[in-house]
Amino acid sequence: MVRWTAGALMGALAEATAGRLVYVMGPSGVGKDSLLDAARRRHPEWLVAHRYITRPSSASEDSVSLSRAEFAWRRQAGLFCLDWQAHGLDYALGLEVCAWLERGATVLVNGSRRALPLAEVRFPRQLRPVMVTARSEVLRERLQQRGRESREQIAARLERHRQLERACPGVHRLDNSGALETTLAALEAWLAEECVS
């Protein structure tokens, strides 16, 4: 395992010349948006793309809410570089992601496992998928604290989480069961190591 000093870590991150799309996946409640927000604050040079979604946005996520008609028009006009459906909603990433990658930026997005095969085709060289996980008991507590779902809905989410943990073999994992700072440090180290591998 490579050990990094703070200076070497930041230097390796700065030397990335090709754009990279860090495609963050994981179940609801695992802390993807919190991780992306922390990454944005720590690394202003990393660009965190918002998603376009056909539901109202919440304060905890970086998204643009569109009606179904607006979403369909933008898709038809070719304004998305990637779009998918999940849980009865439409999601997309805008063309700005392509522009940022062409300029060599590191771009982070809140992605979807369902859309990973599409992302692999669309971004064959730039894609860096990563799965954010958490222990089941931690995820249960977070979902309960959020207070959005019934006990049955939380149980269903935990079952999907168990299935997701077995999915995507070979995709890098980040355990977000503990402190967010620890998870962010692990993300930094992974991206730095990848820059020089």
Side-chain angles (χ1 to χ4, degrees):
M1 177 178 221
V2 179
R3 299 281 180 191
W4 295 93
T5 65
L9 179 66
M10 294 304 109
L13 290 170
E15 288 173 11
T17 55
R20 297 178 298 177
L21 181 62
V22 182
Y23 190 85
V24 179
M25 301 174 287
S28 180
V30 82
K32 300 183 299 293
D33 287 311
S34 296
L35 177 60
L36 292 173
D37 191 47
R40 172 191 280 123
R41 287 194 309 272
R42 173 82 60 84
H43 295 280
E45 74 281 12
W46 291 357
L47 304 177
V48 179
H50 56 258
R51 298 184 298 178
Y52 298 89
I53 311 179
T54 55
R55 68 162 161 73
S57 301
S58 71
S60 65
E61 67 179 346
D62 194 6
S63 65
V64 174
S65 178
L66 297 176
S67 69
R68 290 195 180 276
E70 288 175 306
F71 192 99
W73 187 91
R74 292 187 189 208
R75 179 194 283 139
Q76 176 110 18
L79 299 179
F80 299 142
C81 64
L82 187 69
D83 66 272
W84 66 94
Q85 289 187 325
H87 311 296
L89 300 170
D90 293 305
Y91 294 79
L93 301 176
L95 286 179
E96 63 273 14
V97 170
C98 297
W100 296 343
L101 291 171
E102 286 170 6
R103 284 160 180 77
T106 294
V107 181
L108 286 74
V109 301
N110 185 340
S112 164
R113 181 175 58 91
R114 294 179 188 199
L116 180 60
L118 298 173
E120 289 170 338
V121 171
R122 180 65 182 85
F123 303 101
R125 291 182 296 108
Q126 300 104 328
L127 191 69
R128 305 296 186 272
V130 60
M131 183 78 71
V132 180
T133 65
R135 295 190 308 274
S136 291
E137 63 272 18
V138 172
L139 187 55
R140 177 184 292 106
E141 183 178 339
R142 289 176 183 169
L143 291 169
Q144 288 170 344
Q145 287 176 350
R146 222 166 50 166
R148 294 186 202 161
E149 298 161 309
S150 68
R151 189 172 297 169
E152 293 76 19
Q153 289 170 320
I154 289 174
R157 279 205 181 275
L158 291 172
E159 178 55 34
R160 285 197 297 273
H161 176 239
R162 284 187 283 274
Q163 294 170 5
L164 188 60
E165 282 189 316
R166 296 188 293 270
C168 305
V171 169
H172 187 75
R173 260 50 177 186
L174 290 176
D175 185 351
N176 195 33
S177 298
L180 185 60
E181 183 71 20
T182 302
T183 311
L184 179 57
L187 176 64
E188 291 169 336
W190 174 59
L191 289 176
E193 186 172 337
E194 196 210 40
C195 285
V196 295
S197 60

